[in-house]
Amino acid sequence: MLNISHNSINRDEILKNQSSYQEVMRTKASRTLVRLLSVLFFLGFVMLFLPWTQSIRARGTLTTLRPENREQEIHSVISGRVEKWFVREGQFVAKGDTIIFISEMKSEYLDPDLIEKSKNQTNAKEASITSYKSKAEALRNQIDALENNQKLKLKQAKNYLSQQRLKVNSDSIEYETAIINLDIAQKQFARQEKLYEHGLKSLTELEQRRQKLQEAVNKKTSYQNKWFTSQNELINAQLNINTIQGEFQEKIAKAQSDLMSAVSMSLEAESDYNKLSIQQSNYTQRSGFYYIKAPQDGYVTRAITTGIGETVKEGDPIFSFIPSDYDLALQMYIRPIDLPLVEEGRKVQIQFDGWPALVFSGWPNLSFGTYTGRVVAYDKAATANGEFRVLVSPDPDSPEWPQLLRIGSGAYGISLLKNVPIWYEMWRNLNGFPPDFYINEQLKEPKAKKGKVK
């Protein structure tokens, strides 16, 4: 054993007399065992080169694809007191069915005729608006009439002024004529008086000339007074125009002031009417909030405010509700290191809680009892637990998910990645490396149509 001697030992010669050794050497079991181990080693070595599908495993729960189909709490819009329940927990209700009735609590809404009285106030204010508008229209007509009268009066006064100017001119001409006639009469009287002094004319003729002279003086004085009178009348005609303008401007200004007041009152009444209309609408809408109705077809799952006579505040939840028609989806949470490997359209193998399944994550085609889904969305920010939420919907090209699945049930999702040899996957797991990052060319087109995923 220690190789001290150069003489070798023949093991067969020594053990040939041993019965146990001879019994073993005579059987074929050893040869079979060696062959079996050799075959198993060979098969194991070959299996190392078989394809293996990399995957990301994550737990999740069932939810709905659309947010409005998820379980929701129905809140009270107003403060009130529970008076009557019309349904029980778990009961199916159609859209618009009354679920609970609450009564009013605030003192300003306790009047049973509140809506009717508010409507009467609104109607009265609407009538006042009509009255103010009618008054404003009447004042506009009055202003138009005053302006028309002003135009006619001014036209009449201007015509009278023109007549007075012509009369002044005529009287001035007559006055000038009287002056000339007086001058002629004086000259004739002087010549007649000289002739009388020389005895050429009689006293009667002289007196006749004196009478004519006196008549010319009287006519001159008369025409002068007439001219002065016509001048005064011309001045009065000019003053009359100013008076007419002043009077009508005063009347029009007063009518316009009344019109602005009527318009202002009309606008103020319209503002009050709008406020009253809004208030009436609010009262009507508030009366509709006494009956809390089902927003859509579904089931009343849990009553939060239960007892008759309990009070609720604005925004307090009263019961939880779940729609009856919804599209299931799986929400699962993955680690941040796996997020770059997830993209929309990627396939996911799902095992639902309560459904027997035999899962081979590396060979999904050999799995039994699993269902296929596709990634439709994933969060761009991590949740509170530091993981990212991935939303998976049923694959339309695969068998449908079980009909008895319910929202909130657990599930186990396996996101399928790249195909690699088994020896590579074993080496990756032993070293703690993540799955290989790659982009599936078949998923690029669905990703480009991101907005069309439903």
Side-chain angles (χ1 to χ4, degrees):
M1 294 179 62
L2 300 177
N3 295 325
I4 297 175
S5 175
H6 295 286
N7 298 323
S8 60
I9 299 174
N10 190 346
R11 180 178 297 175
D12 293 337
E13 185 67 23
I14 296 173
L15 296 176
K16 66 180 180 179
N17 296 325
Q18 302 294 328
S19 59
S20 298
Y21 175 75
Q22 294 297 329
E23 185 68 23
V24 171
M25 294 304 296
R26 282 196 298 267
T27 183
K28 297 181 179 180
S30 59
R31 298 173 184 175
T32 304
L33 179 61
V34 172
R35 292 173 182 173
L36 179 61
L37 291 176
S38 299
V39 171
L40 291 177
F41 177 78
F42 178 76
L43 291 177
F45 181 76
V46 172
M47 288 181 63
L48 291 177
F49 294 92
L50 293 177
W52 180 272
T53 302
Q54 292 182 322
S55 61
I56 300 173
R57 299 178 180 88
R59 294 290 302 179
T61 56
L62 289 176
T63 181
T64 60
L65 189 60
R66 300 181 64 85
E68 66 268 20
N69 293 334
R70 297 170 188 169
E71 185 176 10
Q72 54 196 269
E73 290 183 348
I74 306 301
H75 300 77
S76 175
V77 181
I78 62 174
S79 300
R81 181 176 57 199
V82 178
E83 294 293 342
K84 186 178 180 180
W85 280 89
F86 293 90
V87 297
R88 64 179 184 275
E89 292 181 338
Q91 182 177 344
F92 173 82
V93 290
K95 181 179 179 180
D97 287 351
T98 302
I99 297 176
I100 188 174
F101 170 69
I102 61 176
S103 60
E104 189 59 72
M105 290 178 54
K106 294 186 177 181
S107 58
E108 57 266 30
Y109 304 109
L110 293 178
D111 188 355
D113 299 328
L114 182 62
I115 297 178
E116 187 65 26
K117 292 179 180 178
S118 175
K119 184 178 180 180
N120 293 336
Q121 290 180 345
T122 305
N123 294 335
K125 188 58 68 175
E126 185 178 12
S128 65
I129 294 175
T130 304
S131 176
Y132 284 125
K133 288 183 176 180
S134 300
K135 181 179 179 181
E137 187 64 25
L139 288 171
R140 290 190 183 94
N141 296 333
Q142 182 180 357
I143 291 173
D144 293 339
L146 289 173
E147 290 177 349
N148 292 331
N149 291 337
Q150 181 185 18
K151 291 179 181 179
L152 294 176
K153 287 288 186 181
L154 288 175
K155 187 175 182 180
Q156 182 182 13
K158 290 177 180 179
N159 291 335
Y160 181 72
L161 178 63
S162 299
Q163 292 176 354
Q164 292 301 319
R165 285 196 180 99
L166 294 176
K167 186 177 180 182
V168 168
N169 292 332
S170 175
D171 292 341
S172 64
I173 293 172
E174 290 180 352
Y175 175 63
E176 291 294 334
T177 303
I179 292 175
I180 294 172
N181 292 332
L182 176 61
D183 183 60
I184 293 172
Q186 287 177 347
K187 289 180 180 179
Q188 289 179 352
F189 176 74
R191 288 194 296 271
Q192 190 71 23
E193 187 176 15
K194 288 180 180 180
L195 292 174
Y196 173 73
E197 290 176 356
H198 290 86
L200 297 176
K201 293 290 181 180
S202 64
L203 181 61
T204 302
E205 292 177 344
L206 179 64
E207 289 177 352
Q208 289 177 352
R209 287 294 177 185
R210 182 179 289 116
Q211 183 179 1
K212 289 182 180 182
L213 175 62
Q214 188 64 37
E215 289 178 358
V217 171
N218 292 336
K219 285 184 179 181
K220 181 250 182 193
T221 303
S222 175
Y223 285 127
Q224 185 178 12
N225 290 333
K226 187 178 180 182
W227 181 48
F228 288 157
T229 301
S230 61
Q231 287 181 342
N232 290 331
E233 289 179 355
L234 176 62
I235 295 173
N236 291 333
Q238 293 175 343
L239 291 176
N240 186 36
I241 293 176
N242 296 331
T243 302
I244 291 173
Q245 290 178 342
E247 289 179 354
F248 278 96
Q249 287 296 331
E250 182 180 358
K251 293 179 180 179
I252 292 173
K254 185 178 182 304
Q256 289 177 342
S257 176
D258 294 340
L259 174 61
M260 292 298 104
S261 298
V263 172
S264 176
M265 295 297 293
S266 175
L267 295 176
E268 184 178 355
E270 286 183 358
S271 176
D272 294 339
Y273 172 76
N274 292 332
K275 292 180 181 179
L276 290 174
S277 298
I278 295 173
Q279 189 177 38
Q280 179 190 350
S281 178
N282 291 338
Y283 290 158
T284 305
Q285 292 291 333
R286 187 179 181 88
S287 64
F289 295 146
Y290 298 151
Y291 294 90
I292 300 178
K293 303 177 181 179
Q296 52 185 318
D297 296 347
Y299 298 89
V300 177
T301 56
R302 181 170 59 92
I304 300 175
T305 303
T306 57
I308 301 298
E310 288 191 29
T311 58
V312 292
K313 296 180 180 179
E314 296 179 6
D316 284 352
I318 298 180
F319 60 90
S320 59
F321 179 85
I322 185 169
S324 60
D325 186 14
Y326 52 83
D327 296 326
L328 279 177
L330 170 66
Q331 56 179 2
M332 60 183 190
Y333 297 87
I334 63 174
R335 300 174 302 171
I337 194 174
D338 296 329
L339 182 63
L341 305 175
V342 176
E343 56 187 355
E344 297 179 8
R346 184 173 297 282
K347 282 189 177 183
V348 177
Q349 293 296 121
I350 305 171
Q351 177 188 355
F352 299 109
D353 290 350
W355 298 88
L358 183 61
V359 181
F360 295 95
S361 60
W363 299 307
N365 294 332
L366 300 179
S367 299
F368 175 80
T370 61
Y371 296 87
T372 307
R374 287 189 180 270
V375 175
V376 294
Y378 56 89
D379 290 345
K380 302 302 184 290
T383 58
N385 58 3
E387 296 179 334
F388 289 84
R389 186 177 69 106
V390 178
L391 199 62
V392 181
S393 66
D395 185 6
D397 300 329
S398 302
E400 295 183 357
W401 291 3
Q403 297 294 328
L404 296 179
L405 292 177
R406 293 294 180 264
I407 297 175
S409 299
Y412 185 74
I414 304 172
S415 179
L416 304 180
L417 302 177
K418 188 176 181 180
N419 291 329
V420 297
I422 291 179
W423 67 266
Y424 178 83
E425 184 68 11
M426 294 175 62
W427 173 82
R428 182 186 69 80
N429 282 283
L430 288 175
N431 290 275
F433 294 154
D436 292 351
F437 177 78
Y438 85 108
I439 297 177
N440 191 342
E441 296 295 333
Q442 297 178 353
L443 300 180
K444 287 185 177 180
E445 184 176 354
K447 187 174 182 179
K449 299 178 180 179
K450 180 178 179 181
K452 297 184 180 181
V453 176
K454 296 184 179 179

